[in-house]
Amino acid sequence: RGVAVIMVGGPTKGTRFRPLSLNVPKPLFPLAGQPMVHHPISACRRIPNLAQIYLIGFYEEREFALYVSSISNELRIPVRYLREDKPHGSAGGLYSFRDYIMEDSPSHIVLLNCDVCSSFPLPDMLEAHKKYGGMGTLLVNKVSAESANQFGELVADPETNELLHYTEKPETFVSDLINCGVYIFTPNIFSAIEDVLKQKQDRANLRRVSSFEALQSATKALPADFVRLDQDILSPLAGKKELYTYQTLDFWEQIKTPGMSLRCSGLYLSQFRRTSPHLLASGDGKRTATIVGDVYIHPSAKVHPTSKIGPNVSISANARVGAGARLINCIILDDVEIMENAVVIHSIVGWKSSIGKWSRVQGEGDHNAKLGITILGEAVDVEDEVVVVNSIVLPNKTLNVSVQEEIIL
Ligand code: GDD
């Protein structure tokens, strides 16, 4: 039997995701019309004999209550949110709920970061994990040498796939092979975390008796019950025949910024084309809009038949798109109104915003640049014939003049 755990973090994480994380916890932000965390959760459905899925985070329980109950019903696998009273780090958070996780006596624990976008090749990874016979298997990916330092960089044995060396976000280049934040562990991971906790506790005690000065610096350091999976567990266990790697050849991205959420929404839409085409708008029939490429339209959205939508467009609940509107590479959130002949390109339009007639909201389409896409927060009104280019607009603003390359606070 297996158990899956998804680390969702909390409100102090995901600050780079503002202003979108002001309304909704980042793990519930919609990508391809589904909450971010929904994608790893539905990938877990392909794990044979999965007993439970846990989400561990330090958001308020009520933020996840509705989602976990509806998804449990849909998947017919119990999904439960477990709240940490404070952040314990990625391994510490896992450890604090070991009793729940071990309830079903799992032989393996699938651990996933919620802010990665992947096809999550979990069944194949599980096969590899069993074959390797180690304590853990990491999903790894090759990235460009310039971008590798945003991730855990690692070296693996090309023959055995053993993890030989691991450094978290190193300052000098180690390797273009990186940690994807997707793992399979045996329950022995808990002993490994416990060992680290003991060492930390011993060191903290030692400092306490050694000197007052040291005590002062110790109080500034991370708390003794804070354990990071990468630095504290993976680094020291590399090269000890405990950890192995499984390389994905399919898509993988990290979702730290709104720009990346737009790109990942597109990646999931193209995955739907292969796995669940019924979720995509088809655009056939006289009374539907012209659809280009992969598009998701929530059943409650009203899209005018003379509008043209796509590629990579996702339209959420109760949104309205007027006659002659043109939408390309964008996420339109709930209750947005886009009026006649407006154009939205390379942008995210926040909940309840409205875009006036003949207006243009657009970015240049660079998903990694700070102002590479335009983002409108909740309830932003762009008046008629206004042009908004490469800008970020915070919630509750009215734009009656055109803006370019601006952050409107
Ligand atoms: N519950 C809980 N409690 N979750 C946490 C905590 C915590 O105290 N701290 C982090 N997380 C969650 C985050 O929400 C995220 O899903 C995951 O754990 C990892 O977050 P970080 O520890 O902040 O690391 P990172 O995202 O910068 O980098 C990690 O992921 C990369 C892949 O996306 C590292 O493992 C990198 O090596 C890796 O490349």
Side-chain angles (χ1 to χ4, degrees):
R1 273 171 96 76
V3 168
V5 177
I6 303 177
M7 301 307 281
V8 297
T12 56
K13 299 226 133 221
T15 49
R16 276 184 281 169
F17 212 67
R18 285 181 192 152
L20 302 172
S21 53
L22 296 172
N23 287 72
V24 62
K26 178 177 143 180
L28 297 181
F29 184 80
L31 306 179
Q34 317 291 330
M36 186 184 292
V37 70
H38 180 85
H39 300 280
I41 288 181
S42 50
C44 288
R45 203 169 32 173
R46 287 181 277 119
I47 304 171
N49 287 319
L50 191 73
Q52 271 270 1
I53 301 175
Y54 292 108
L55 311 185
I56 299 183
F58 46 99
Y59 290 99
E60 298 287 340
E61 251 121 15
R62 60 179 162 76
E63 307 224 56
F64 283 86
L66 213 62
Y67 176 71
V68 293
S69 74
S70 75
I71 190 69
S72 303
N73 269 329
E74 193 187 315
L75 298 189
R76 306 198 170 278
I77 298 174
V79 181
R80 182 161 175 191
Y81 177 71
L82 300 173
R83 180 173 188 255
E84 291 171 82
D85 51 346
K86 59 171 185 160
H88 292 90
S90 39
L94 181 74
Y95 184 79
S96 45
F97 294 107
R98 60 194 179 285
D99 294 345
Y100 286 95
I101 297 167
M102 291 310 296
E103 236 168 40
D104 296 286
S105 316
S107 55
H108 50 270
I109 300 155
V110 179
L111 180 69
L112 308 137
N113 289 0
C114 81
D115 58 356
V116 299
C117 168
S118 167
S119 57
F120 300 105
L122 301 173
D124 292 344
M125 201 179 151
L126 183 58
E127 285 304 307
H129 169 75
K130 287 182 184 156
K131 199 179 81 204
Y132 299 148
M135 185 185 77
T137 301
L138 291 65
L139 189 69
V140 303
N141 185 28
K142 255 207 185 349
V143 298
S144 70
E146 305 82 70
S147 67
N149 65 355
Q150 307 164 37
F151 309 105
E153 295 182 17
L154 55 96
V155 180
D157 186 315
E159 300 288 307
T160 64
N161 296 315
E162 190 200 338
L163 179 76
L164 297 177
H165 180 76
Y166 185 95
T167 323
E168 184 61 21
K169 305 186 182 88
E171 276 174 26
T172 49
F173 180 75
V174 175
S175 162
D176 57 359
L177 203 58
I178 61 110
N179 171 14
C180 293
V182 174
Y183 314 88
I184 299 177
F185 290 114
T186 67
N188 286 345
I189 183 68
F190 291 122
S191 330
I193 302 173
E194 201 166 292
D195 289 347
V196 172
L197 278 167
K198 279 206 191 96
Q199 285 164 23
K200 287 200 169 207
Q201 200 58 56
D202 289 349
R203 252 179 276 146
N205 292 341
L206 206 67
R207 277 198 223 102
R208 209 158 291 146
V209 294
S210 66
S211 81
F212 178 69
E213 227 170 288
L215 173 66
Q216 277 188 319
S217 72
T219 50
K220 277 190 217 132
L222 293 169
D225 60 353
F226 192 93
V227 187
R228 296 157 303 184
L229 188 64
D230 25 50
Q231 285 104 312
D232 300 326
I233 305 286
L234 303 182
S235 285
L237 285 181
K240 299 208 167 109
K241 297 206 165 23
E242 296 274 21
L243 300 174
Y244 291 83
T245 60
Y246 179 85
Q247 189 173 344
T248 176
L249 301 172
D250 211 347
F251 66 94
W252 182 89
E253 297 284 353
Q254 192 183 39
I255 319 162
K256 294 292 184 197
T257 60
M260 282 312 293
S261 76
L262 180 54
R263 171 164 164 68
C264 293
S265 191
L267 289 171
Y268 281 135
L269 286 175
S270 53
Q271 190 189 31
F272 285 172
R273 175 72 59 199
R274 286 172 272 136
T275 61
S276 9
H278 62 279
L279 291 175
L280 297 176
S282 64
D284 45 15
K286 282 203 177 66
R287 293 177 55 227
T288 55
T290 303
I291 302 293
V292 186
D294 300 331
V295 171
Y296 170 84
I297 301 177
H298 190 274
S300 65
K302 284 210 167 61
V303 178
H304 197 276
T306 61
S307 62
K308 189 171 176 184
I309 319 277
N312 184 23
V313 172
S314 163
I315 302 178
S316 291
N318 301 315
R320 300 166 76 91
V321 178
R326 181 71 178 103
L327 273 53
I328 301 173
N329 192 35
C330 57
I331 297 177
I332 307 296
L333 295 160
D334 297 25
D335 304 304
V336 164
E337 171 132 39
I338 295 174
M339 315 238 192
E340 290 95 273
N341 304 308
V343 173
V344 182
I345 305 179
H346 307 313
S347 299
I348 298 178
V349 181
W351 308 264
K352 302 191 186 76
S353 290
S354 79
I355 297 178
K357 296 174 188 152
W358 295 101
S359 286
R360 264 184 105 87
V361 171
Q362 70 176 77
E364 65 192 19
D366 181 347
H367 297 113
N368 290 310
K370 183 157 170 54
L371 295 178
I373 67 164
T374 285
I375 303 157
L376 307 184
E378 180 181 22
V380 169
D381 287 332
V382 176
E383 295 194 344
D384 294 352
E385 296 172 36
V386 166
V387 180
V388 185
V389 178
N390 291 346
S391 295
I392 298 175
V393 186
L394 266 74
N396 305 307
K397 301 285 168 219
T398 298
L399 294 184
N400 49 21
V401 291
S402 297
V403 293
Q404 183 160 357
E405 318 273 339
E406 279 192 56
I407 298 178
I408 297 169
L409 302 170

